[in-house]
Amino acid sequence: MRTIPLQSFKSLEEDILARKLLLSHDPDGRRLDSELVLRAMENVLCYASTSEVGGFWFDANAKDDTWEVEVVGSQEKLGQIISRISCEMLSKCLGKSGYHEGTMILFDLLRRYGWDAKLVIILSAFTTSYGEVSLILNLYSRNPLAASVARLKRIPPNVSTLRPSFEALSLLLRILVDITKCLIKFEGMRIGLAELEGKVIAISNSYMYIAAYWVARSTLACYSFISDLKTMTLEQVPSKSVASATCELLSLANMLTNIHNHLRQQFELYHQHIGTMMNEKLLKLFQESHADNQKILGILLALGDSLPLKNSSTEEKIGVGELKDKIVILMVSKPELFPLEGLFQLVHQAYEQFSEMTSEESYKIVWIPISSCDVWTNAEEKKFNFVSNCVPWFSVRRPWALNPAVINFIKQVWNYKDDPLMVVLDPRGMVTNPNAFDMVLTWGAGSAYPFSSAKEKQLWEEEKWTIQLLVDSIDPLLTLWVKQGRTICIYGSDDLDWIRKLNAQLKQITSQGLRFEMVYVGDSNLSEHIKHVLVTVNMEMHHSLLTFTKLPFFWGRLKSIRRSILKTGKETNSDKILQELSALLDTKDKGWAIIGRGSTQDIIKLQGNEALECLSKYNEWSQNVIKLGLVGALRAAIRPASLAGPCYYSYETPYKEDLIGEYVECSKCKHPMKKYVLYK
């Protein structure tokens, strides 16, 4: 065993070493998924360290991923690269060259790779040898094949006296993995933010080079321990050289612990500095004019490589170049996004049919999930992987690797507060709508395109208070009824006695030949009591179209509509739709019923006892149904006594083709107005 000088480098020596490392660093674009390789390597160490010879610091329940990592830009496969480096490491351990020389040779061999790739390849090369020895030792006593291989490789059959050495090795490996994880984060941030400069970044990069050097050099020491084990005789196992090797491993672990602690402190400083610079950079970018969206998306979605996205339907890795010249909707949410039914509803609204003039290819949705905590949990990662493979849009491939400064920007500047957010960027990368989520849910992508705030305001200028506005997209059959122009009665209450009376009155009306559809929607507070009421409605009165799991869609739609209208600057006291929505969402009436026909403005709302009293007098106003329709007859029945006489109010409006079939209510008497065409 050879000892390693453990004294700290002086600043000048560190600077010289960093410069030498940079001279051997000449990346040509080759890359691999370092996190995935490291995870697979940890699995090997997990099982090796829980064997008879290992320590116990790795998680024995670590995920056992099946990994096939592609080395982009190289003709060699990952296994070939690891095997080649493993042979080189073995030759350096058996040869006369020192650890420093061997380390520099390894960096030269891997000169074409990024710093993160260099380290995971070197560590993986050692891990394969370590895993092989651990497997043989673990199976030696009960597997003849393992015993035969051990004899051929001259591995001592009983290494129980080496347990302290293996524990020291396990401790050192843990620190090496921790430092490598930290360096992967460094490299990812450094590549993603290549345009940012600063003294702190330069100093942090220098620390990264030195830390990478000691990871590689210490891995050679670990490899030396394993290779020496294969050459020991039974008599040499409990020897002074083994004790010396154990001391060497522990000394390295102590020194690297200090490096790791210092590296973490430097990373925190680096992170704070990058956060400040990134925030300023992003604010400036969104104020400038650009030829396309590539620069902005490149910084927002940077993961440390050129393929930060995945096509969720094909799982293909893609770059931001796929988004060039398109409207991009950045959908920010929690990793689970929605319960499954809510997710299906969003997919339907986001990808409903387009006109011939507007293609779905004109825009793309990119999902950016954000963890509720600073660190992603395994549960959140599983939810993201499941959902991202079920939806038709693009997703950030590794959202946990997004730059924290970008996450902070989304939270602070775009005001993300856990509720889903759809930030719309035009083809030049400028924000045209800070949140189009409610807009998409209300109208669907076909009508909402191009999703700008101006388009949202235009839609509300044209929208009317109709049954279609209330229930569109909640349920396919309900949407069909609206298109067919059927009369629909939507009613809600938590008072079962009132509901029974209302249904009795409506049943009496339908028994005389009038036909309309009944839909119970519960109450804005969807408690267990509402679930009980819904069961009673289905059993005693009629089969309600909406199940309890679909009731939130109705109330969620009302809330989305209200939020969308308020964005345009309208106020409740001056907007009829806002007034009606507030009455449904905010007031606690005994009960209410809204009766309307399809997409027309032929709609009326009845509340509480007023509804029961009006419907009970059906025989008195039924003769008006043929002339005025059900809604018109109801409106006439509740006409204020002060306006019992004829009403002569009139007004002129510019002619429109679709005006002929529209219902217009008189602002004075609340009756339907007759239409005349005036030629001038």
Side-chain angles (χ1 to χ4, degrees), residues 261-544:
N261 290 335
H262 189 72
L263 195 64
R264 281 190 305 177
Q265 294 174 4
Q266 193 63 34
F267 184 78
E268 290 177 4
L269 180 62
Y270 184 92
H271 179 218
Q272 293 172 4
H273 184 70
I274 287 293
T276 302
M277 295 181 68
M278 269 290 293
N279 192 59
E280 294 174 356
K281 181 74 173 178
L282 287 169
L283 286 172
K284 184 178 179 181
L285 279 175
F286 280 106
Q287 292 171 356
E288 296 174 343
S289 178
H290 304 278
D292 55 44
N293 57 17
Q294 295 299 283
K295 188 174 183 179
I296 285 177
L297 292 175
I299 292 181
L300 275 176
L301 305 176
L303 294 182
D305 60 46
S306 60
L307 301 172
L309 305 175
K310 75 170 181 177
N311 187 330
S312 299
S313 56
T314 63
E315 297 191 34
E316 176 189 3
K317 297 178 183 179
I318 57 177
V320 296
E322 292 286 330
L323 306 175
K324 189 175 182 180
D325 300 325
K326 290 180 172 60
I327 292 171
V328 177
I329 300 178
L330 301 175
M331 183 168 64
V332 187
S333 76
K334 296 178 181 178
E336 64 271 21
L337 190 58
F338 279 125
L340 201 54
E341 287 190 342
L343 179 59
F344 290 157
Q345 184 192 27
L346 176 60
V347 171
H348 169 72
Q349 289 296 89
Y351 291 94
E352 68 175 10
Q353 291 185 352
F354 285 77
S355 67
E356 294 181 1
M357 297 294 293
T358 307
S359 168
E360 181 186 327
E361 291 300 313
S362 301
Y363 81 102
K364 291 293 181 183
I365 295 177
V366 176
W367 183 27
I368 306 177
I370 293 180
S371 170
S372 301
C373 308
D374 292 334
V375 179
W376 277 65
T377 64
N378 287 335
E380 287 178 325
E381 194 171 332
K382 287 179 181 178
K383 287 177 181 176
F384 163 72
N385 288 330
F386 173 76
V387 175
S388 65
N389 291 331
C390 299
V391 293
W393 45 65
F394 293 168
S395 301
V396 175
R397 190 158 51 84
R398 292 181 293 123
W400 44 86
L402 279 172
N403 193 297
V406 172
I407 302 299
N408 289 334
F409 179 85
I410 291 173
K411 290 180 177 179
Q412 296 171 10
V413 179
W414 289 347
N415 200 32
Y416 171 67
K417 306 281 186 189
D418 289 340
D419 291 327
L421 191 71
M422 282 184 165
V423 181
V424 182
L425 307 183
D426 68 13
R428 295 187 302 160
M430 295 295 97
V431 176
T432 58
N433 194 334
N435 189 5
F437 186 79
D438 295 318
M439 182 188 190
V440 171
L441 281 186
T442 301
W443 285 288
S447 299
Y449 184 88
F451 316 105
S452 63
S453 295
K455 178 65 174 181
E456 189 169 17
K457 187 173 182 179
Q458 176 192 340
L459 287 170
W460 281 122
E461 292 296 333
E462 299 170 354
E463 192 57 75
K464 307 296 180 184
W465 177 245
T466 64
I467 284 288
Q468 181 178 18
L469 177 64
L470 289 174
V471 302
D472 201 20
S473 80
I474 291 175
D475 180 87
L477 183 56
L478 191 51
T479 301
L480 178 62
W481 289 348
V482 170
K483 289 182 179 179
Q484 292 174 342
R486 296 193 189 186
T487 300
I488 301 171
C489 175
I490 303 170
Y491 67 98
S493 176
D494 62 355
D495 187 336
L496 190 53
D497 182 57
W498 182 87
I499 291 172
R500 285 192 173 108
K501 291 178 181 178
L502 176 72
N503 274 271
Q505 297 289 352
L506 292 173
K507 186 176 181 180
Q508 182 181 3
I509 294 174
T510 57
S511 67
Q512 299 189 36
L514 282 179
R515 182 182 176 185
F516 49 85
E517 308 296 342
M518 299 278 295
V519 182
Y520 175 65
V521 296
D523 184 78
S524 57
N525 179 24
L526 296 174
S527 61
E528 286 295 316
H529 174 65
I530 294 296
K531 184 184 290 188
H532 169 71
V533 171
L534 181 60
V535 171
T536 304
V537 168
N538 285 327
M539 291 178 61
E540 295 183 10
M541 301 159 218
H542 65 90
H543 180 72
S544 184

Side-chain angles (χ1 to χ4, degrees), residues 20-80:
K20 288 182 178 179
L21 289 169
L22 278 175
L23 288 174
S24 70
H25 181 62
D26 186 22
D28 62 357
R30 300 183 195 187
R31 61 183 183 277
L32 52 85
D33 193 330
S34 299
E35 286 189 354
L36 191 56
V37 178
L38 188 64
R39 183 184 298 171
M41 188 199 76
E42 282 187 282
N43 285 341
V44 175
L45 295 176
C46 161
Y47 297 115
S49 63
T50 53
S51 66
E52 294 178 1
V53 298
F56 298 91
W57 59 269
F58 286 103
D59 180 9
N61 295 317
K63 289 186 290 186
D64 189 13
D65 294 293
T66 302
W67 54 288
E68 295 182 2
V69 179
E70 178 186 1
V71 184
V72 180
S74 174
Q75 295 181 349
E76 284 186 295
K77 294 186 179 298
L78 180 61
Q80 294 174 315

Side-chain angles (χ1 to χ4, degrees), residues 133-256:
V133 171
S134 298
L135 185 63
I136 292 172
L137 290 174
N138 197 39
L139 297 175
Y140 186 94
S141 61
R142 57 184 184 277
N143 189 306
L145 177 61
S148 298
V149 173
R151 283 192 290 272
L152 286 173
K153 288 183 172 288
R154 302 185 59 81
I155 298 176
N158 183 7
V159 291
S160 58
T161 55
L162 285 176
R163 190 173 187 84
S165 298
F166 276 99
E167 288 180 347
L169 176 65
S170 182
L171 174 63
L172 177 57
L173 287 173
R174 179 182 67 178
I175 299 168
L176 293 179
V177 169
D178 287 343
I179 292 177
T180 302
K181 287 180 178 179
C182 194
L183 291 176
I184 287 175
K185 291 180 180 178
F186 256 113
E187 182 73 351
M189 291 180 69
R190 202 173 62 86
I191 293 176
L193 306 172
E195 295 183 1
L196 301 182
E197 299 178 353
K199 184 177 179 180
V200 172
I201 296 176
I203 293 173
S204 298
N205 288 342
S206 179
Y207 280 120
M208 183 181 74
Y209 306 145
I210 300 300
Y213 169 83
W214 278 105
V215 169
R217 180 165 174 159
S218 299
T219 305
L220 269 179
C222 295
Y223 207 112
S224 178
F225 172 77
I226 294 298
S227 63
D228 286 350
L229 176 66
K230 296 179 182 180
T231 62
M232 289 181 183
T233 64
L234 292 176
E235 293 75 18
Q236 289 177 323
V237 171
S239 65
K240 291 183 179 179
S241 62
V242 172
S244 175
T246 304
C247 181
E248 178 185 27
L249 294 174
L250 289 173
S251 298
L252 276 172
N254 182 62
M255 184 186 71
L256 285 163

Side-chain angles (χ1 to χ4, degrees), residues 657-674:
E657 286 188 7
D658 58 351
L659 186 64
I660 298 298
E662 282 290 324
Y663 165 85
V664 178
E665 182 184 88
C666 177
S667 61
K668 300 294 184 182
C669 68
K670 307 304 180 184
H671 277 112
M673 299 182 73
K674 292 182 179 180

